[in-house]
Amino acid sequence: MFKLKEVLEIFSNIGVRDILDMAIVAFVFYKLFMLIRHTSAEQVLKGLVVLLIVTKLSEWARFYVTNWILKNTITVGIIALIILFQPELRRALEHIGRTKFLTKSIMELSREALNENIHEIVEASTNLSRQKIGALIIIERETGIGDVIETGTTIQGNISSRLLINIFIPNTPLHDGAVVIRKDKIMAAGCVLPLTQNPNLSKELGTRHRAGIGMTEKCDAIAIMVSEETGAISIAMDGKLSRYLDAKTLMSVLKNAYQNEQQKPLLRWKWRQKDE
């Protein structure tokens, strides 16, 4: 009965500010969980929880040597965790940095310019698909990918289906790499991209598709891939791959991606999308 009174007293002292404080903490923890969900960091976190439980049990059981080793392991492990969680921490900070309070969207173009750029990209993709010429096109959105652009050959030309097709013609100097588009410019070609480490991808996917997926896992860019074996057009966003797109579907996906980006609220807390 005494404990019940203590519990009731605690709840009676909770005010609106306390509820708001707890809601913020719960929201942040939820977003952190969504950030690491279905990644290697999730398994690391589970291992850390088990380690903390074992450490506490060893303290209760008075296993002094074991407890000393575990405590020192956790102390050193904090530094290791920062290294292990580096991709997730970077992704979270990038999402926070994309708020319109802090930066201006690099996708802010007129509707006419957007439609024209999308038309040129779709036309190039479908032409390459018909000829079964492999291609990899990266469209920069809000997260700057200047480090990727620097790995290629600078072009800085207007977006043109003819230019895109010529870049990917086999046996030309720049065909074996990625083209990066920023706003209404083709910034560079022959760029090197990071490969995805996702073990669940189909083995039939080649280096081009794995590079496109890997790029979209690290930032909010859009990747368009054309298979040189089948001519199939694929698109990757947020680490998710959609395959066998026709011109109409590709056009619709790109327009929706641009429109959704422009309609986002000022504070965008979407740290990680749920897997479809």
Side-chain angles (χ1 to χ4, degrees), residues 7 20 22 129 158 172 175 193 268:
V7 172
L20 181 60
M22 290 185 286
S129 175
N158 294 330
T172 55
H175 84 283
L193 306 182
R268 280 167 281 188

PDB file of all heavy atoms in Angstrom, residues 7 20 22 129 158 172 175 193 268:
ATOM      1  N   VAL A   7       3.909   5.673  -5.846  1.00  0.00           N
ATOM      2  CA  VAL A   7       3.690   5.715  -7.297  1.00  0.00           C
ATOM      3  C   VAL A   7       2.674   6.791  -7.650  1.00  0.00           C
ATOM      4  O   VAL A   7       2.864   7.565  -8.600  1.00  0.00           O
ATOM      5  CB  VAL A   7       3.225   4.334  -7.812  1.00  0.00           C
ATOM      6  CG1 VAL A   7       2.810   4.418  -9.287  1.00  0.00           C
ATOM      7  CG2 VAL A   7       4.321   3.299  -7.630  1.00  0.00           C
ATOM      8  N   LEU A  20       5.874  16.509 -22.131  1.00  0.00           N
ATOM      9  CA  LEU A  20       6.509  16.943 -23.375  1.00  0.00           C
ATOM     10  C   LEU A  20       7.962  16.482 -23.427  1.00  0.00           C
ATOM     11  O   LEU A  20       8.448  16.021 -24.478  1.00  0.00           O
ATOM     12  CB  LEU A  20       6.450  18.472 -23.478  1.00  0.00           C
ATOM     13  CG  LEU A  20       7.053  19.102 -24.739  1.00  0.00           C
ATOM     14  CD1 LEU A  20       6.342  18.584 -25.987  1.00  0.00           C
ATOM     15  CD2 LEU A  20       6.985  20.617 -24.671  1.00  0.00           C
ATOM     16  N   MET A  22       9.271  13.795 -21.958  1.00  0.00           N
ATOM     17  CA  MET A  22       9.295  12.348 -22.211  1.00  0.00           C
ATOM     18  C   MET A  22       8.923  12.025 -23.650  1.00  0.00           C
ATOM     19  O   MET A  22       9.474  11.096 -24.251  1.00  0.00           O
ATOM     20  CB  MET A  22       8.342  11.639 -21.236  1.00  0.00           C
ATOM     21  CG  MET A  22       8.818  11.640 -19.792  1.00  0.00           C
ATOM     22  SD  MET A  22       7.762  10.671 -18.686  1.00  0.00           S
ATOM     23  CE  MET A  22       6.343  11.763 -18.557  1.00  0.00           C
ATOM     24  N   SER A 129      18.489   1.921 -73.327  1.00  0.00           N
ATOM     25  CA  SER A 129      17.847   0.631 -73.079  1.00  0.00           C
ATOM     26  C   SER A 129      17.593  -0.123 -74.385  1.00  0.00           C
ATOM     27  O   SER A 129      17.843  -1.334 -74.467  1.00  0.00           O
ATOM     28  CB  SER A 129      16.529   0.844 -72.326  1.00  0.00           C
ATOM     29  OG  SER A 129      15.820  -0.369 -72.176  1.00  0.00           O
ATOM     30  N   ASN A 158      24.964  21.302 -70.110  1.00  0.00           N
ATOM     31  CA  ASN A 158      23.516  21.240 -69.956  1.00  0.00           C
ATOM     32  C   ASN A 158      23.024  19.808 -70.133  1.00  0.00           C
ATOM     33  O   ASN A 158      23.592  19.029 -70.900  1.00  0.00           O
ATOM     34  CB  ASN A 158      22.841  22.150 -70.981  1.00  0.00           C
ATOM     35  CG  ASN A 158      23.141  23.617 -70.737  1.00  0.00           C
ATOM     36  OD1 ASN A 158      23.358  24.034 -69.595  1.00  0.00           O
ATOM     37  ND2 ASN A 158      23.168  24.402 -71.797  1.00  0.00           N
ATOM     38  N   THR A 172      34.291   4.225 -75.156  1.00  0.00           N
ATOM     39  CA  THR A 172      34.676   5.632 -75.049  1.00  0.00           C
ATOM     40  C   THR A 172      35.298   5.867 -73.673  1.00  0.00           C
ATOM     41  O   THR A 172      35.059   5.089 -72.742  1.00  0.00           O
ATOM     42  CB  THR A 172      33.463   6.555 -75.249  1.00  0.00           C
ATOM     43  OG1 THR A 172      32.436   6.188 -74.320  1.00  0.00           O
ATOM     44  CG2 THR A 172      32.929   6.445 -76.672  1.00  0.00           C
ATOM     45  N   HIS A 175      32.689   5.936 -70.523  1.00  0.00           N
ATOM     46  CA  HIS A 175      31.482   5.095 -70.474  1.00  0.00           C
ATOM     47  C   HIS A 175      31.438   4.214 -69.231  1.00  0.00           C
ATOM     48  O   HIS A 175      30.371   3.855 -68.757  1.00  0.00           O
ATOM     49  CB  HIS A 175      31.403   4.217 -71.728  1.00  0.00           C
ATOM     50  CG  HIS A 175      32.192   2.947 -71.633  1.00  0.00           C
ATOM     51  ND1 HIS A 175      33.564   2.904 -71.770  1.00  0.00           N
ATOM     52  CD2 HIS A 175      31.797   1.662 -71.387  1.00  0.00           C
ATOM     53  CE1 HIS A 175      33.982   1.665 -71.636  1.00  0.00           C
ATOM     54  NE2 HIS A 175      32.948   0.889 -71.392  1.00  0.00           N
ATOM     55  N   LEU A 193      31.710   5.155 -57.575  1.00  0.00           N
ATOM     56  CA  LEU A 193      30.717   5.126 -56.505  1.00  0.00           C
ATOM     57  C   LEU A 193      31.015   4.009 -55.515  1.00  0.00           C
ATOM     58  O   LEU A 193      31.640   3.004 -55.870  1.00  0.00           O
ATOM     59  CB  LEU A 193      29.314   4.915 -57.090  1.00  0.00           C
ATOM     60  CG  LEU A 193      28.838   5.864 -58.186  1.00  0.00           C
ATOM     61  CD1 LEU A 193      27.411   5.522 -58.587  1.00  0.00           C
ATOM     62  CD2 LEU A 193      28.929   7.306 -57.728  1.00  0.00           C
ATOM     63  N   ARG A 268      12.504  18.309 -41.244  1.00  0.00           N
ATOM     64  CA  ARG A 268      12.315  16.975 -41.799  1.00  0.00           C
ATOM     65  C   ARG A 268      13.046  15.966 -40.936  1.00  0.00           C
ATOM     66  O   ARG A 268      14.271  15.903 -40.946  1.00  0.00           O
ATOM     67  CB  ARG A 268      12.824  16.927 -43.253  1.00  0.00           C
ATOM     68  CG  ARG A 268      11.814  17.514 -44.203  1.00  0.00           C
ATOM     69  CD  ARG A 268      12.428  17.758 -45.548  1.00  0.00           C
ATOM     70  NE  ARG A 268      13.212  18.985 -45.497  1.00  0.00           N
ATOM     71  CZ  ARG A 268      13.748  19.543 -46.566  1.00  0.00           C
ATOM     72  NH1 ARG A 268      13.621  19.004 -47.734  1.00  0.00           N
ATOM     73  NH2 ARG A 268      14.448  20.658 -46.457  1.00  0.00           N
TER      74      ARG A 268
END
